[in-house]
Amino acid sequence: MVGGGVVGLTTAVVLAERGRRVRLWTREPVERTTSAVAGALWWPYRIEPVALARSWALRSLDVYEELAARPGESGVRMVEGVLGETGLDEADTWAAARLPGLRVATAEEYGGSGLWARLPLIDMSTHLSWLRKRLVSAGGVVEIRAVSDLAEAEAPVVVNCTGLGARELVPDASVRPVRGQLVVVENPGIRTWMVSTDPVSGEMAYFFPQPGRLVLGGTAEEDAWSAEPDPAVAEAIVRRCAALRPKIAGARVLAHLVGLRPARDAVRLERERLPDGRPLVHNYGHGGAGVTVAWGCAREAAELASR
């Protein structure tokens, strides 16, 4: 397996727990992958095709609901909040039956049109470490190793979960970055999350209460490769979030983060062959929803690898 983000680790766990011998190569330690930067609220975002993404998301929801019984260990909690600019009709077509508490947000909860929901919120620093430990417990091996050719992997089946790296490694020029910048602050007592999108400018504002901190976002800059935080962007993020919850304005800043979402016109989840004939399974291009669909995609990728 190549790729140590949340999609790669989850796929490796599923394969190992099905009895396959798994060796995972990752260019960066899992704590430094793009997945480590994710705000990690369960909800499909910037991922195609929509129908398949929703199916993968619901399969993943089953797992996250189980893991939420052990939040300290897994990093997964069920937390309430508001999905701004989202109507009940839209959610009712696919999610309402699985989210019994889904309802229209009141005027006191949100100034515009939105949904109140109880969704998985994942602390990625804990969750990625937990996934790695679960993989090792199932007999898997994790190695820090850069790869220049997928054929380097000496295995009867190779699984490619390299995210943005697939642009050069496959190569697949349709994979492109969507830059997201976050600001981490001390939590001034906020217990619910919120996602809001300005209907005119399209600018996002969201905040997620994670253990010991509050994560503020965000941006979605297409084809932007810079991993350096922009101070002006950070100020704008805090300002937009403070407009939703004024006490955020005075919160002490703990960190600035940047992640490059691996966007593609559609997730590539399919099986082909390397030049030497060995099976190659692709599982990449999940955009801003890697955490949301990780388990659903992992199980499908494992089925393709085990054919």
Side-chain angles (χ1 to χ4, degrees):
M1 283 214 44
V2 185
V6 67
V7 170
L9 276 171
T10 305
T11 304
V13 166
V14 171
L15 282 165
E17 292 183 347
R18 291 185 179 185
R20 302 299 294 265
R21 294 176 59 192
V22 177
R23 183 176 300 273
L24 186 148
W25 288 351
T26 176
R27 184 176 56 189
E28 301 281 353
V30 296
E31 298 84 359
R32 299 217 311 259
T33 61
T34 296
S35 298
V37 181
L41 176 74
W42 179 92
W43 191 263
Y45 172 69
R46 295 187 78 99
I47 182 171
E48 296 284 345
V50 172
L52 278 174
R54 289 173 172 177
S55 175
W56 295 326
L58 290 175
R59 294 182 72 183
S60 301
L61 177 61
D62 293 337
V63 179
Y64 289 133
E65 286 177 332
E66 293 176 6
L67 295 179
R70 309 186 303 279
E73 175 186 347
S74 69
V76 182
R77 297 172 295 135
M78 300 298 294
V79 183
E80 292 182 317
V82 174
L83 287 164
E85 291 69 52
T86 304
L88 191 57
D89 289 346
E90 175 188 342
D92 191 51
T93 61
W94 71 281
R98 286 288 288 105
L99 300 169
L102 201 66
R103 60 172 174 78
V104 175
T106 66
E108 292 74 22
E109 293 164 345
Y110 189 65
S113 171
L115 291 181
W116 183 268
R118 186 171 181 265
L119 303 179
L121 182 62
I122 297 96
D123 174 12
M124 293 306 292
S125 60
T126 298
H127 189 63
L128 291 172
S129 177
W130 174 82
L131 282 170
R132 181 176 54 190
K133 291 176 183 175
R134 182 166 167 175
L135 171 59
V136 172
S137 295
V141 176
V142 179
E143 295 181 355
I144 307 300
R145 175 167 174 167
V147 177
S148 59
D149 189 324
L150 291 170
E152 291 177 25
E154 297 176 357
V157 180
V158 178
V159 182
N160 169 30
C161 298
T162 54
L164 194 58
R167 180 180 175 89
E168 302 296 334
L169 192 58
V170 172
D172 184 348
S174 69
V175 183
R176 64 193 192 283
V178 176
R179 183 180 183 275
Q181 183 166 328
L182 305 173
V183 181
V184 183
V185 302
E186 287 185 341
N187 192 335
I190 293 173
R191 297 183 178 181
T192 59
W193 50 266
M194 182 175 289
V195 178
S196 177
T197 304
D198 187 290
V200 178
S201 68
E203 291 183 323
M204 296 184 298
Y206 54 80
F207 51 84
F208 302 134
Q210 296 285 11
R213 64 197 188 281
L214 186 68
V215 178
L216 312 180
T219 61
E221 304 169 73
E222 296 191 12
D223 300 308
W225 287 91
S226 174
E228 292 298 317
D230 183 325
V233 171
E235 290 178 7
I237 287 171
V238 174
R239 184 169 59 250
R240 293 197 300 272
C241 291
L244 298 170
R245 289 290 184 276
K247 57 185 175 182
I248 290 175
R252 183 168 70 93
V253 175
L254 302 177
H256 296 276
L257 304 173
V258 172
L260 304 180
R261 306 175 182 95
R264 195 173 184 270
D265 291 340
V267 171
R268 189 174 187 190
L269 184 47
E270 62 184 7
R271 174 174 164 140
E272 61 173 3
R273 291 195 177 274
L274 290 163
D276 61 11
R278 286 179 295 154
L280 170 63
V281 175
H282 294 292
N283 183 13
Y284 67 86
H286 302 86
V291 176
T292 297
V293 301
W295 289 92
C297 288
R299 288 171 176 171
E300 189 165 323
E303 289 161 8
L304 291 173
S306 300
R307 263 193 345 212

